[in-house]
Amino acid sequence: MNSLYDYPRFTLGQELTGEQRAFFAKNGFLHFRPFASPEQVQAYLKATQDVQAKWLADNVEKVNGVPIKYGKDVDGSPIVQRFAFASQHSPVLHELLQDPRFEALFPLLEIGEGRVGVNERDGLVVNHYVNVEGSEFSQMGWHTDSLRDVFYGKRIRPMLNVGLHLDGTKATNGGLRVIPGTHRQSIGKMLFRKKYYKDVHYDPNEIAIETEPGDLTVHDGRMWHRVAQSPLVGAASRRRVMYVPIIGGKYQPKRDDSPTPFYLRFLHLVK
């Protein structure tokens, strides 16, 4: 494991400290503990379950052009394994994105402005990983979040991916992995360093992000990261995390009639 294994866990206040900004500039990620209380975590889990029940009942296939990923839970029942724009369907999750502490992260974009992407990209995404037969989402291979800009021939926009972790995950139980410093890589290395999503293997330079319920992580959209599969099977492998983008530049909201982005047409291949 990389020497950064014992990286610092910070506390997110109304503005970032010099130490936090320097760490992010060098490594491309930050880990805050705690961000949400145990009671808030339970409220967010309940909110996602309410949205899930509604979407299952209504057989929702897409939200604002983004496909919804369904799979099976440990008891074989159907579940949503990747939500999109979840905050648009829950007042509890909508309120979460109004938390003023998110504004403290805007300076990390280095462009003098920023906003929480409530209605842009895929909005508030909820990923529900579980390693069981019938699951459609137990891991995610190496990728960067900036590839979508390249797909559309656009200049790569500054972007942060902010994750609120609803389950505790030890390094031995899978979870988020990042390669520090790759947010400063060349465009060539961003495109070709690894095979997007197909490569799920350990990298000697990766860092395991061990989380507790309520932790917040932030990583630069240009850096390489993956979600490792849990070696456990069943309920012990469960990992739920909510991601929201912080972005700058031109406002580009999605609507009910938005087309499905090209890169998401391959979402079914990510398992």
Side-chain angles (χ1 to χ4, degrees):
M1 187 66 68
N2 191 290
S3 60
L4 264 180
Y5 180 73
D6 292 324
Y7 66 85
R9 279 68 166 174
F10 298 106
T11 299
L12 182 59
Q14 297 304 311
E15 61 181 27
L16 295 175
T17 67
E19 180 186 9
Q20 291 165 356
R21 296 182 67 161
F23 185 90
F24 184 87
K26 180 179 179 179
N27 298 294
F29 76 97
L30 289 168
H31 186 166
F32 298 103
R33 174 179 294 168
F35 180 85
S37 68
E39 294 75 19
Q40 289 173 317
V41 168
Q42 291 305 309
Y44 301 146
L45 287 171
K46 174 63 164 54
T48 63
Q49 291 164 359
D50 290 344
V51 175
Q52 173 178 274
K54 183 71 164 58
W55 288 1
L56 284 168
D58 295 344
N59 195 28
V60 174
E61 296 182 356
K62 297 180 181 180
V63 177
N64 297 339
V66 178
I68 305 305
K69 193 175 185 70
Y70 291 90
K72 299 292 185 180
D73 206 346
V74 296
D75 60 356
S77 62
I79 57 172
V80 177
Q81 295 203 260
R82 187 181 191 272
F83 300 69
F85 298 101
S87 69
Q88 296 182 3
H89 298 264
S90 166
V92 173
L93 300 181
H94 175 77
E95 183 179 0
L96 163 64
L97 299 191
Q98 314 311 307
D99 192 308
R101 288 176 293 178
F102 287 123
E103 296 183 16
L105 302 173
F106 293 174
L108 297 177
L109 293 172
E110 299 180 343
I111 57 173
E113 60 178 8
R115 62 185 177 275
V116 177
V118 177
N119 305 312
E120 299 175 85
R121 291 185 174 250
D122 298 347
L124 179 64
V125 169
V126 184
N127 289 336
H128 185 167
Y129 301 94
V130 62
N131 188 19
V132 295
E133 184 177 356
S135 171
E136 292 293 317
F137 216 16
S138 64
Q139 64 182 326
M140 185 178 290
W142 287 108
H143 64 285
T144 73
D145 298 317
S146 295
L147 182 66
R148 66 185 70 195
D149 289 337
V150 178
F151 261 123
Y152 291 102
K154 298 179 180 179
R155 180 179 179 182
I156 294 175
R157 295 189 296 167
M159 176 219 169
L160 307 173
N161 211 348
V162 181
L164 178 56
H165 300 260
L166 304 178
D167 294 289
T169 305
K170 295 292 185 182
T172 54
N173 195 22
L176 180 62
R177 307 290 196 262
V178 301
I179 302 181
T182 52
H183 63 307
R184 299 298 188 189
Q185 66 195 333
S186 66
I187 183 67
K189 288 187 176 180
M190 194 194 83
L191 291 175
F192 303 113
R193 177 171 179 151
K194 295 182 179 293
K195 292 182 179 179
Y196 270 79
Y197 299 109
K198 282 191 172 184
D199 185 350
V200 298
H201 301 101
Y202 168 79
D203 187 291
N205 296 307
E206 73 179 37
I207 296 297
I209 307 297
E210 294 191 318
T211 61
E212 296 178 358
D215 283 7
L216 194 80
T217 59
V218 183
H219 67 259
D220 191 296
R222 297 167 292 183
M223 79 182 306
W224 283 98
H225 60 286
R226 70 180 176 113
V227 176
Q229 186 180 58
S230 172
L232 304 177
V233 177
S237 70
R238 193 183 310 280
R239 178 177 178 270
R240 292 158 294 188
V241 58
M242 301 193 294
Y243 280 104
V244 63
I246 288 181
I247 52 183
K250 182 181 178 181
Y251 181 55
Q252 298 178 320
K254 297 282 187 65
R255 297 175 293 273
D256 287 341
D257 60 351
S258 292
T260 298
F262 176 76
Y263 60 89
L264 285 177
R265 296 177 184 176
F266 304 99
L267 183 63
H268 65 284
L269 299 177
V270 180
K271 296 185 178 183

